[in-house]
Amino acid sequence: MQVNENFEPVIVAFCCNWCSYAGADLSGTNRLNYPSNVKIIRVPCSCRVNPMFILRAFQKGADGVILCGCHPGDCHYTSGNYFTRRRITLLYSMLDFLGIERNRTRLEWVSAAEGAKFAAVMNQFVEDVKKLGPNRRLEDLRCRKQ
Amino acid sequence: MNKNQKNWIDITSGVNVLKCMRCGKCSATCPSYDEMEYHPHQFVYMVEKGDIEPLLNSKSLYKCLTCFACVERCPRGVEPAKVVEAVRLTAVRQQGNNHLIPDMIPDMLDDDLPQQAIVTAFRKYTK
Amino acid sequence: MQEAMIKRAKELLADGTVNRVMGWKRGEFSYDITPAVFETAEELDAEFVCDDLTQANVSKYLIKESRKEGKILALLKPCDTYSFNQLVKEHRIIRENVYVIGIPGGPKIDIEKIKAKEISGILSVKNEDYTLKIETIYGTETMPYYEAISGKCENCKSKKHVVFDELIGEDGDVLESNRFEMVEKLENMTAQERYDFWRDQLSKCIRCNACRNVCPACTCENCVFDNPKSGIDNKAAADSFEENMFHIIRAFHVAGRCTDCGECSRVCPQNIPLHLLNRKFIKDINSLYGEYQAGADTTSRAPLNDYSTDDCEPSIVHERGVE
Amino acid sequence: MQRIGVFVCHCGTNIAATVDVKAVAEALGHEAGVVISQDYQYMCSESGQDLVKNAIKEHNLTGVVVCSCSPRMHENTFRKAAASAGLNPYLVEIANIREQCSWIHKDIASATDKAIVLGKAAVAKVHLNAPLTAGESPVVKRALVIGGGIAGIQTALDIAEAGFEVDIVEKEPTIGGKMAQIDKTFPTLDCAACILTPKMVEAAQNEKITIHSFSEVADVKGFVGNFTVTIKKKARFVDETKCTGCGLCTEKCPMKKVPNEFNMGLDNRTAVYIPFAQAVPKVATIDPNYCLMLKNGKCGVCSKVCTAGAIDYKQTDKMIEQKYGAIVVATGFNPIKPDKYDEFAYSYCPDVVTSLELERLMNAAGPNGGTLLRPSDKTHPHTIVFVQCVGSRCDDEKGKPYCSKICCMYTAKHAMLIREKYPDTEVYVFYIDVRTPGKNFDEFYRRAVEQYNVHYIKGMVGKVTPKADGKIDVQASDLLANEQLHINADMVVLATAIEPDKTARPLATMLTTQMDTNDFFTEAHPKLRPVESATAGIFLSGACQGPKDIPETVAQASAAAAKAIGLLCKNSITCNPCVAHSDELMCNGCSACEKVCPYGAITYQDKEFRMPDRSTAIRRVASVNPAVCQGCGACTVACPSGAMDLNGFSNSQIMAEVDAICK
């Protein structure tokens, strides 16, 4: 595959309010860099993320979607991220089954104290998606702005 | 302090000496304690400091019975016997490196020598 | 067998146990067997059909029928009983209002497979000792029975009726099937090959919604794809992606609930192997969260509404199969 | 038609240094529905808020987007500002362009682009925001305290003092907990019973306090201000209301060989028993595992001698249900059993005891009436060795990784008491570190060394070997002298680690509160909210939260009580309006949402609907109790039809954000 050096992927990150969003805030407070491609959407819990949202992001032109939640066992709502883990495992497995590149999707557990981890995860993810190039397999060209 | 030596001991022993909380239970439990100049807890502490030379020159190295009582009872999972073993290996290697090289084997062979003995000697003196 | 069913149905109508019968009758063509509700003995005598071509799963019809006045008799093949049970579990079918008779299952005949042999103008199909005798307007044709077996019967998972009030014929067992063979084959392809496979298949989709409408797990009062408030409503396919989205979401919505009855692929006019998506979910659920057969009982927790604290991480996708 | 105002904050240079705020305000001003787009130095300042308020009034805004710091910081500030200007507070959205933009990125162009996208996403979302009203939920003016040790008693007394009803649930037949078993307390050496038992009596006599002894919490439902708790009153086969506690039955009971758990099994009790003389309630309990009547149906002595007629062999477990506004957890701790440590010979040498066993051996109400004697041969011990940190600070599966905190002090106390009472006894303490932070604590330890001449030896005991002559060989290292010692001891005392009570874990599940890996309850904030759990309305008291000594436990107990009182004082609490709701017309009644709800907020009801063809149909539909729902959204994804949605984070709102970001 051709790697375009100037390719700037669109990355959507869903972060749960209690852990990962706070972790993202912490990486800001600590001035830890990660690429500006990453745009965060706040959700109350990772279990709020409907597979439809992830597919919608791809449909509208996202090149990668990452979902962040509290570590298993630490969910503010006790069990939300356990449901997330099952749903997202099955969804990612299905996307893989349809031939979508595995590195376009990711689930990470980031606690409110893990600002450094948040930045590291985002750096890695953006790098991985950059390697894959634009999302052609799951993108809806009709919705792409010319 | 010999950094390479310390690194090598850390790696070959697989022990994180920083886990030690200096309770001395290893030495309390050691059956060879009175025979030793440096005791198990001192091995751990001196390796931590990188003060390895005195250990290499001490007879204590060979007094350790490798009974693993210290490993069994250490509350922090430090495994002092493995540290002693790693220091012992360092000493063995230093003293003309390998004590046994394959070329020496043919001369040693005779009908009475069990093959097991050669294999064991090889394992013990080379590594 | 058909006579035994009609006889028993008439008895149950006569003694007032039920006031309707859920069965099948012939459609526009004699081989088009369609689900139908019968209210009298006369109707049963005249129109009731249950033969080798009767494939339709009537469970879904019972959602509405079980909410009507009086009890209805349902004749269910083994695979249909799983769908029925699942719908009872989801409070969709009111069990008390249905009298279930378990009837023998397939393998059933798929008329499309006969047509594929360039046999046309079909008037009737008869099974004579595992040879099909096909009367057509051009004369009589024959072909071996097994060559015309329906896709949904090829990998039969069970001959057991998981729910019934009485049986006509004998009850069977859960079978060892190799139904995941094709899923495994796809899993072992490269990502590009898989993508090409599904691109070929899904691009045929005309968004007729037949799969959704026949599926006994797709029983929503109002489907998200029809609901303007959902934000993803769309009727017809506007672009290739939407087929992907529709089929992924549909498979996801029925994951853990799909009994693998095979109706989706049977009714697809474009012959898209949609059941493979469902089977992929079933296979993943079985291997990651323990064996689970939707509809086998009415009490267990669906795997997607359940969890274990030591479930695997999604990164397991990276560790398996071929990238 | 939407009329949206956008307000971009400079945050001094925090945002303005890397984000071109003027360009952001300019770009967002062109978004559909935006009627005013301004930037300002400090939007959260009073004048900044006035800017927002005036714009709401002047432009009659229907939505506000503030591009500023994290919503975790100032969302409430701007919501309040909007509310005071007459706009529903939930029509305000924050675009986080500080923590998640200006502080992360260095390049002004890309940071500005990102800030614009984040702003657009917020504008897209606010288009779909609906005004929400926070509901009110009444507070039941009654508290439940789980555990009747010193922590639970103190909390209950404080809550009762404030005028609220409070129930104590204690699993043992009496309240008092571990403190009742202790002989003396450090650093004052006053008698534990003398300070505890008056408090027990006070709790029993306080008319606001109800004690459910020999009871367990069986089920907890509900939420802050309105918990419904099922309490299982275990059958004690004695009618509590009739028993006078005279103790005649315990004297006459023929089954006298039951290990006495109050004395750590060092002596025996009868099958019908009162744990100790000052027990509260002072009521007998029959142990069904030993009672001959209950086991074989033959005996009945206690029933015959009881003049009050309180014995009831037919009694069964009783369930009672009660509503509470607040719950305080005070489940306490237990010392671990050191039998996994073979080297200490605890499991086979009776003269190796734990500190709590020593406490009973020295107690005037203990098995030896207060004279310290060896359990094996009842002789006076002349040499006693104390071993510190048994099972504490361990990095293996036998022990606990944490410091149990109280052992250094109670060991100093034991050593001192023994030297005081039996000056002919030599006392050795093997320590790794002596940890005595606390008022008068280190002075106390120094007194043991300097005044009482207790031999403190830096080092650990490696092996304890009982010998044929009845003595015990203690092999240990003296690290400072660099030698290995052998002490010919008469007794060995192990300062065993303490662990949370075993009932705590299932309780945490019932309460939906969090625990750490050691099963200690997790506080809402380790520094700022140490006595609250993360679950609203559930408070933590005493050692269930972490190892604590008595003064600390009492302090925390009172703090937990203060928090509970603060809650009970309110007539109602404001609920989070961002909760799930079900569209009944679309609901299938399939129960998927109910299965994933961690709070039991979803119930089903059969409702009659008019169908399009004018007929009516009865359908099973879900409904969400907004006071119970916490707004996690698990149900919204479990729902296949999309009938379930979440206020403030609706499907269409999130999808609008996705679209705005991906465009």
Side-chain angles (χ1 to χ4, degrees):
Chain A
M1 186 184 289
Q2 227 183 344
V3 180
N4 183 353
E5 287 294 318
N6 299 322
F7 165 57
E8 287 299 339
V10 176
I11 309 280
V12 179
F14 292 98
C15 289
C16 88
N17 183 43
W18 304 96
C19 287
S20 308
Y21 195 87
D25 278 355
L26 183 63
S27 66
T29 312
N30 292 341
R31 309 296 197 276
L32 302 168
N33 285 93
Y34 56 85
S36 62
N37 312 54
V38 178
K39 313 284 193 302
I40 296 171
I41 293 178
R42 183 164 71 127
V43 286
C45 174
S46 58
C47 71
R48 175 66 187 97
V49 178
N50 198 312
M52 286 194 291
F53 303 161
I54 295 172
L55 295 180
R56 172 72 157 226
F58 283 126
Q59 183 186 13
K60 297 292 178 181
D63 299 295
V65 177
I66 181 165
L67 177 51
C68 300
C70 310
H71 284 268
D74 290 348
C75 177
H76 179 78
Y77 306 100
T78 46
S79 54
N81 53 4
Y82 288 127
F83 292 118
T84 307
R85 186 158 64 178
R86 281 205 172 183
R87 291 167 183 165
I88 298 302
T89 302
L90 290 179
L91 177 73
Y92 287 0
S93 176
M94 176 53 73
L95 292 178
D96 177 56
F97 187 63
L98 293 172
I100 310 309
E101 301 93 333
R102 291 167 179 182
N103 285 340
R104 288 204 194 280
T105 52
R106 186 169 296 179
L107 175 70
E108 283 288 343
W109 310 123
V110 180
S111 81
E114 292 176 325
K117 180 177 177 184
F118 186 87
V121 162
M122 290 306 155
N123 278 316
Q124 185 62 47
F125 188 57
V126 173
E127 196 179 305
D128 289 348
V129 174
K130 270 190 180 175
K131 274 187 210 148
L132 291 175
N135 171 26
R136 302 226 183 277
R137 289 187 184 166
L138 255 178
E139 187 197 346
D140 177 7
L141 290 167
R142 187 182 61 115
C143 294
R144 187 71 140 179
K145 257 194 186 166
Q146 296 303 318
Chain B
M1 162 168 160
N2 188 332
K3 259 210 161 147
N4 282 342
Q5 230 166 31
K6 176 174 158 42
N7 279 345
W8 196 80
I9 289 171
D10 285 346
I11 292 163
T12 48
S13 65
V15 168
N16 178 6
V17 286
L18 293 173
K19 289 184 77 172
C20 174
M21 64 168 170
R22 323 222 193 290
C23 70
K25 200 174 177 184
C26 46
S27 292
T29 222
C30 180
S32 303
Y33 187 96
D34 292 335
E35 309 287 321
M36 293 169 111
E37 179 188 358
Y38 296 110
H39 307 117
H41 73 277
Q42 287 172 295
F43 268 86
V44 175
Y45 184 54
M46 288 165 81
V47 167
E48 185 193 320
K49 285 193 301 179
D51 195 8
I52 293 158
E53 213 51 46
L55 296 177
L56 290 172
N57 299 325
S58 163
K59 288 254 184 297
S60 307
L61 273 184
Y62 308 101
K63 301 290 183 189
C64 167
L65 302 171
T66 328
C67 71
F68 285 131
C70 49
V71 173
E72 172 62 27
R73 293 186 188 146
C74 174
R76 305 289 308 159
V78 175
E79 307 178 308
K82 292 192 178 173
V83 177
V84 177
E85 172 70 7
V87 178
R88 188 155 45 207
L89 271 174
T90 314
V92 168
R93 284 208 161 180
Q94 270 189 348
Q95 292 161 14
N97 296 319
N98 287 339
H99 280 211
L100 196 65
I101 52 174
D103 289 347
M104 291 157 74
I105 304 275
D107 294 338
M108 295 160 78
L109 290 176
D110 68 57
D111 290 345
D112 295 335
L113 186 69
Q115 194 183 349
Q116 185 67 39
I118 303 174
V119 175
T120 310
F122 216 61
R123 191 180 295 149
K124 192 163 178 183
Y125 292 118
T126 56
K127 285 196 187 175
Chain C
M1 205 52 90
Q2 182 178 312
E3 284 63 46
M5 291 176 207
I6 295 174
K7 181 168 169 276
R8 186 67 188 126
K10 286 202 281 193
E11 283 170 18
L12 289 166
L13 275 177
D15 67 15
T17 309
V18 299
N19 63 3
R20 283 159 299 139
V21 177
M22 181 85 231
W24 304 265
K25 65 178 182 186
R26 295 194 193 282
E28 197 170 340
F29 298 101
S30 67
Y31 49 76
D32 263 348
I33 314 292
T34 346
V37 175
F38 305 88
E39 292 187 356
T40 62
E42 293 70 39
E43 282 174 27
L44 282 168
D45 277 330
E47 293 193 290
F48 182 92
V49 183
C50 182
D51 61 8
D52 291 329
L53 287 159
T54 311
Q55 297 188 63
N57 179 349
V58 295
S59 313
K60 189 171 183 173
Y61 295 84
L62 295 167
I63 296 172
K64 284 231 166 73
E65 290 299 328
S66 74
R67 282 152 203 270
K68 291 183 180 164
E69 194 91 10
K71 213 165 174 173
I72 186 164
L73 167 65
L75 298 152
L76 300 179
K77 305 190 293 296
C79 47
D80 304 345
T81 60
Y82 284 87
S83 308
F84 180 85
N85 229 10
Q86 180 65 24
L87 288 167
V88 170
K89 180 176 177 176
E90 293 175 8
H91 308 279
R92 304 291 286 144
I93 290 177
I94 298 167
R95 177 70 181 90
E96 300 79 64
N97 292 346
V98 186
Y99 189 87
V100 177
I101 295 184
I103 60 170
K108 300 287 186 182
I109 297 299
D110 186 354
I111 198 74
E112 296 302 323
K113 290 204 173 170
I114 298 175
K115 286 183 183 168
K117 295 271 177 189
E118 298 191 340
I119 298 172
S120 55
I122 300 167
L123 294 171
S124 73
V125 181
K126 260 203 197 103
N127 171 17
E128 281 178 7
D129 203 18
Y130 293 98
T131 301
L132 292 179
K133 226 173 154 192
I134 304 144
E135 297 292 339
T136 75
I137 49 175
Y138 310 110
T140 307
E141 303 261 6
T142 57
M143 73 182 279
Y145 188 96
Y146 66 87
E147 282 184 14
I149 288 178
S150 161
K152 74 179 245 176
C153 293
E154 274 171 359
N155 287 303
C156 181
K157 64 177 182 293
S158 175
K159 293 268 184 211
K160 184 176 142 94
H161 295 84
V162 287
V163 56
F164 57 85
D165 294 310
E166 66 177 80
L167 284 174
I168 291 179
E170 277 175 20
D171 201 12
D173 292 317
V174 176
L175 304 178
E176 289 281 327
S177 72
N178 46 359
R179 56 183 171 138
F180 298 121
E181 216 170 40
M182 187 58 195
V183 175
E184 261 162 45
K185 206 175 133 192
L186 277 164
E187 283 172 345
N188 290 327
M189 290 179 179
T190 64
Q192 186 65 48
E193 285 167 347
R194 282 200 296 272
Y195 180 69
D196 293 342
F197 173 86
W198 284 111
R199 200 65 287 166
D200 279 353
Q201 294 297 343
L202 294 175
S203 59
K204 295 189 291 191
C205 176
I206 54 171
R207 267 313 284 281
C208 67
N209 285 337
C211 50
R212 185 187 79 185
N213 294 352
V214 78
C215 175
C218 265
T219 64
C220 285
E221 296 289 327
N222 194 347
C223 176
V224 281
F225 290 100
D226 292 344
N227 174 12
K229 276 197 222 160
S230 75
I232 54 160
D233 65 310
N234 51 39
K235 276 278 188 198
D239 60 75
S240 61
F241 182 83
E242 288 186 4
E243 266 84 73
N244 271 344
M245 174 118 164
F246 171 76
H247 290 297
I248 299 170
I249 293 292
R250 206 187 80 76
F252 190 83
H253 278 176
V254 302
R257 303 163 56 225
C258 167
T259 64
D260 200 6
C261 74
E263 289 284 274
C264 44
S265 296
R266 180 179 73 86
V267 300
C268 179
Q270 296 292 82
N271 294 319
I272 303 170
L274 292 166
H275 67 282
L276 290 178
L277 296 176
N278 300 329
R279 280 197 184 152
K280 168 66 179 166
F281 274 132
I282 295 171
K283 182 170 178 282
D284 277 350
I285 287 169
N286 283 349
S287 65
L288 300 176
Y289 310 124
E291 292 284 327
Y292 180 84
Q293 173 58 53
D297 63 81
T298 55
T299 48
S300 61
R301 238 177 129 107
L304 270 168
N305 295 336
D306 199 5
Y307 65 85
S308 149
T309 51
D310 51 7
D311 279 340
C312 61
E313 296 290 329
S315 55
I316 193 156
V317 176
H318 293 251
E319 289 149 21
R320 301 179 311 174
V322 189
E323 164 71 67
Chain D
M1 185 61 203
Q2 293 276 4
R3 303 175 58 78
I4 293 165
V6 176
F7 303 90
V8 185
C9 180
H10 297 217
C11 197
T13 55
N14 277 310
I15 294 171
T18 21
V19 171
D20 182 347
V21 282
K22 300 257 181 232
V24 173
E26 165 71 21
L28 295 178
H30 298 302
E31 284 294 291
V34 175
V35 291
I36 174 171
S37 185
Q38 290 180 305
D39 62 284
Y40 188 72
Q41 202 89 35
Y42 290 103
M43 209 54 91
C44 60
S45 68
E46 207 176 328
S47 46
Q49 289 188 48
D50 284 342
L51 196 76
V52 178
K53 288 183 205 169
N54 292 337
I56 291 172
K57 287 177 196 150
E58 198 178 315
H59 295 273
N60 203 11
L61 295 182
T62 58
V64 166
V65 169
V66 184
C67 302
S68 61
C69 54
S70 172
R72 297 167 56 84
M73 213 69 165
H74 276 308
E75 189 172 53
N76 264 335
T77 314
F78 293 113
R79 277 182 177 170
K80 276 185 193 155
S84 73
L87 185 71
N88 184 289
Y90 294 91
L91 297 173
V92 176
E93 282 297 326
I94 308 287
N96 183 348
I97 60 164
R98 190 178 78 175
E99 280 85 348
Q100 294 179 6
C101 190
S102 72
W103 279 354
I104 296 291
H105 311 305
K106 294 202 173 87
D107 174 46
I108 294 180
S110 67
T112 305
D113 283 348
K114 178 171 171 178
I116 292 170
V117 171
L118 294 177
K120 282 180 177 174
V123 171
K125 187 181 179 191
V126 90
H127 265 284
L128 298 163
N129 276 23
L132 301 174
T133 318
E136 300 259 299
S137 153
V139 175
V140 178
K141 306 260 175 195
R142 192 184 187 98
L144 172 68
V145 176
I146 304 170
I150 179 62
I153 293 171
Q154 184 64 46
T155 303
L157 284 172
D158 287 350
I159 296 175
E161 180 73 11
F164 296 103
E165 300 279 339
V166 47
D167 293 359
I168 300 177
V169 170
E170 168 58 55
K171 68 178 190 307
E172 302 296 336
T174 171
I175 59 169
K178 290 288 167 301
M179 190 173 169
Q181 290 177 277
I182 293 172
D183 185 30
K184 300 261 176 3
T185 58
F186 59 76
T188 45
L189 294 183
D190 45 358
C191 145
C194 310
I195 53 177
L196 175 69
T197 48
K199 276 202 181 285
M200 290 162 63
V201 173
E202 205 186 323
Q205 289 175 348
N206 192 316
E207 55 188 27
K208 295 273 183 197
I209 300 179
T210 310
I211 298 172
H212 297 292
S213 63
F214 212 52
S215 302
E216 282 166 14
V217 172
D219 189 32
V220 181
K221 284 205 176 69
F223 51 96
V224 54
N226 200 354
F227 294 103
T228 305
V229 179
T230 310
I231 298 165
K232 179 166 114 182
K233 279 188 94 86
K234 293 181 280 187
R236 68 198 311 167
F237 306 104
V238 174
D239 188 335
E240 279 180 54
T241 55
K242 290 184 186 160
C243 178
T244 58
C246 70
L248 194 58
C249 52
T250 64
E251 282 167 31
K252 301 290 182 200
C253 176
M255 183 61 218
K256 297 191 189 303
K257 289 271 184 221
V258 186
N260 183 354
E261 45 290 85
F262 185 73
N263 278 339
M264 305 302 291
L266 292 164
D267 64 355
N268 292 325
R269 61 162 169 83
T270 47
V272 56
Y273 67 108
I274 297 172
F276 57 99
Q278 297 85 6
V280 170
K282 197 164 181 196
V283 174
T285 305
I286 298 179
D287 188 336
N289 296 321
Y290 292 95
C291 173
L292 298 171
M293 188 68 187
L294 290 170
K295 276 176 73 183
N296 313 326
K298 282 181 202 146
C299 179
V301 170
C302 49
S303 173
K304 279 172 211 143
V305 299
C306 181
T307 50
I311 306 290
D312 174 8
Y313 298 117
K314 298 229 159 53
Q315 209 177 60
T316 49
D317 294 352
K318 235 182 11 198
M319 294 291 187
I320 47 178
E321 209 179 80
Q322 182 64 258
K323 280 190 173 291
Y324 300 100
I327 297 178
V328 183
V329 183
T331 46
F333 72 95
N334 279 307
I336 64 164
K337 260 189 126 32
D339 48 6
K340 281 186 205 152
Y341 293 93
D342 289 341
E343 61 267 36
F344 296 129
Y346 174 79
S347 49
Y348 57 90
C349 179
D351 295 329
V352 178
V353 298
T354 67
S355 296
L356 194 55
E357 288 166 4
L358 181 76
E359 206 74 62
R360 294 315 300 157
L361 287 172
M362 288 166 63
N363 192 295
N368 301 330
T371 313
L372 179 58
L373 299 173
R374 284 171 24 122
S376 62
D377 53 8
K378 306 282 178 207
T379 58
H380 170 60
H382 292 278
T383 307
I384 301 180
V385 172
F386 285 86
V387 187
Q388 298 280 67
C389 297
V390 175
S392 297
R393 308 169 69 191
C394 279
D395 197 30
D396 55 28
E397 59 281 16
K398 286 192 226 165
K400 305 287 171 188
Y402 48 85
C403 167
S404 296
K405 198 171 184 179
I406 55 176
C407 326
C408 286
M409 283 302 286
Y410 69 60
T411 299
K413 173 189 80 178
H414 289 156
M416 211 185 280
L417 288 171
I418 290 169
R419 290 283 297 160
E420 165 88 26
K421 215 167 167 186
Y422 312 103
D424 63 327
T425 303
E426 291 298 322
V427 176
Y428 297 87
V429 177
F430 285 91
Y431 70 93
I432 304 170
D433 301 286
V434 178
R435 296 177 168 177
T436 54
K439 193 175 173 185
N440 290 325
F441 281 15
D442 204 61
E443 295 90 321
F444 182 79
Y445 150 62
R446 289 314 305 167
R447 237 166 77 211
V449 177
E450 294 165 26
Q451 194 179 327
Y452 289 93
N453 203 9
V454 176
H455 308 297
Y456 267 78
I457 300 172
K458 160 81 184 163
M460 189 66 181
V461 170
K463 183 126 182 70
V464 172
T465 321
K467 295 193 294 189
D469 63 357
K471 290 269 191 179
I472 304 169
D473 175 49
V474 179
Q475 185 186 350
S477 63
D478 180 341
L479 291 176
L480 297 178
N482 201 10
E483 63 182 2
Q484 198 178 57
L485 301 173
H486 283 271
I487 293 173
N488 204 17
D490 297 306
M491 265 181 90
V492 174
V493 184
L494 307 176
T496 46
I498 59 174
E499 63 180 355
D501 194 79
K502 291 271 179 281
T503 57
R505 175 60 72 174
L507 186 67
T509 312
M510 278 190 261
L511 295 168
T512 65
T513 49
Q514 290 169 19
M515 279 190 147
D516 64 18
T517 50
N518 298 314
D519 280 8
F520 286 115
F521 282 90
T522 307
E523 58 279 16
H525 189 284
K527 290 181 238 352
L528 304 177
R529 294 172 69 193
V531 297
E532 294 158 80
S533 80
T535 308
I538 308 225
F539 306 98
L540 308 174
S541 170
C544 67
Q545 179 261 348
K548 273 177 200 65
D549 60 25
I550 295 169
E552 268 188 297
T553 296
V554 172
Q556 206 204 10
S558 290
K563 285 283 170 191
I565 293 164
L567 169 62
L568 295 175
C569 279
K570 292 180 189 163
N571 288 323
S572 64
I573 40 173
T574 311
C575 310
N576 169 22
C578 294
V579 293
H581 62 92
S582 157
D583 185 335
E584 290 171 345
L585 287 173
M586 285 197 285
C587 176
N588 303 329
C590 72
S591 280
C593 51
E594 178 199 24
K595 298 278 189 318
V596 299
C597 179
Y599 306 100
I602 300 169
T603 50
Y604 288 85
Q605 51 202 156
D606 288 326
K607 271 202 170 178
E608 199 171 292
F609 286 89
R610 267 178 87 92
M611 303 308 279
D613 60 358
R614 300 195 173 206
S615 64
T616 55
I618 291 173
R619 287 195 9 233
R620 181 185 140 92
V621 292
S623 70
V624 181
N625 181 345
V628 183
C629 175
Q630 300 289 308
C632 68
C635 53
T636 61
V637 184
C639 178
S641 70
M644 201 56 94
D645 211 346
L646 190 63
N647 287 339
F649 294 94
S650 71
N651 285 330
S652 49
Q653 281 177 311
I654 297 176
M655 230 121 42
E657 284 183 90
V658 169
D659 291 357
I661 287 173
C662 296
K663 257 181 208 163

